[in-house]
Amino acid sequence: EVQLVESGGGLVQAGGSLRLSCTTSGFTLDDYAIGWFRQAPGKPREGVACISVSDGRTYYSESVKGRFTISSDNAKNTVYLEIDNTKSEDTAVYYCARDRRTRPYVGNWWTTFYYGMDKWGEGTLVTVSS
C-alpha cells in the first residue's frame, strides 16, 4: 500500500525552527519527486518545496526560499522539510505528496507538480505564535 505520512508539526514561536518528516512506503522513492504543500484556513494550496529524489534537484516557492530546506534520506524512505525563522504566515497544515516525474521541472514547478501528484498524506499542523 502506498503511503505518505507527515509528522513533526506543532506549535512554534515566531523566529523558531521546525523539521517536518514525510515517511513513505509502498513505492520506490527514486522514481518520484516529493513535494510539500501547505494550506491555511480559507486559502488555496500553496506549494512550498519539492525534491527530485533521483538527482537531488530542489525547487522552492519564492515566499519560502532561504528559510525552507527540503532533503531526502533514501535509506529511511523519508523526505524532510526544515523550516527556519518561522513566521506567522507559515501557520498551515503541511502535506507531502508524490509526482512520478524524474526529469527537471521547468518554469513554475508547483503548477506541474500539482497536476501530476497522485498521492498525498493527511497532513501535519504547524502553528506559529507571535
Side-chain angles (χ1 to χ4, degrees):
E1 180 187 4
V2 172
Q3 285 190 314
L4 297 94
V5 180
E6 303 91 343
S7 61
L11 179 64
V12 61
Q13 284 192 327
S17 296
L18 205 62
R19 188 176 81 160
L20 307 182
S21 299
C22 173
T23 304
T24 70
S25 60
F27 63 98
T28 302
L29 201 55
D30 268 0
D31 292 341
Y32 289 82
I34 303 295
W36 287 90
F37 65 92
R38 64 188 181 185
Q39 189 163 26
K43 293 189 176 181
R45 293 172 173 174
E46 176 191 11
V48 294
C50 172
I51 185 167
S52 178
V53 180
S54 61
D55 61 13
R57 289 177 187 262
T58 57
Y59 307 82
Y60 297 94
S61 69
E62 288 299 319
S63 64
V64 307
K65 198 172 289 184
R67 297 192 301 114
F68 286 28
T69 304
I70 189 169
S71 62
S72 67
D73 184 336
N74 289 23
K76 295 182 178 180
N77 289 321
T78 300
V79 173
Y80 303 100
L81 183 70
E82 180 84 26
I83 305 174
D84 296 318
N85 189 22
T86 52
K87 302 179 178 181
S88 57
E89 53 262 41
D90 295 328
T91 295
V93 178
Y94 285 72
Y95 302 85
C96 64
R98 71 173 194 176
D99 174 18
R100 189 154 193 167
R101 180 184 179 99
T102 55
R103 62 189 185 281
Y105 291 90
V106 179
N108 187 333
W109 70 266
W110 169 235
T111 300
T112 306
F113 186 93
Y114 178 83
Y115 287 104
M117 65 183 189
D118 65 351
K119 192 75 175 180
W120 51 93
E122 296 185 350
T124 186
L125 175 63
V126 172
T127 304
V128 181
S129 64
S130 55

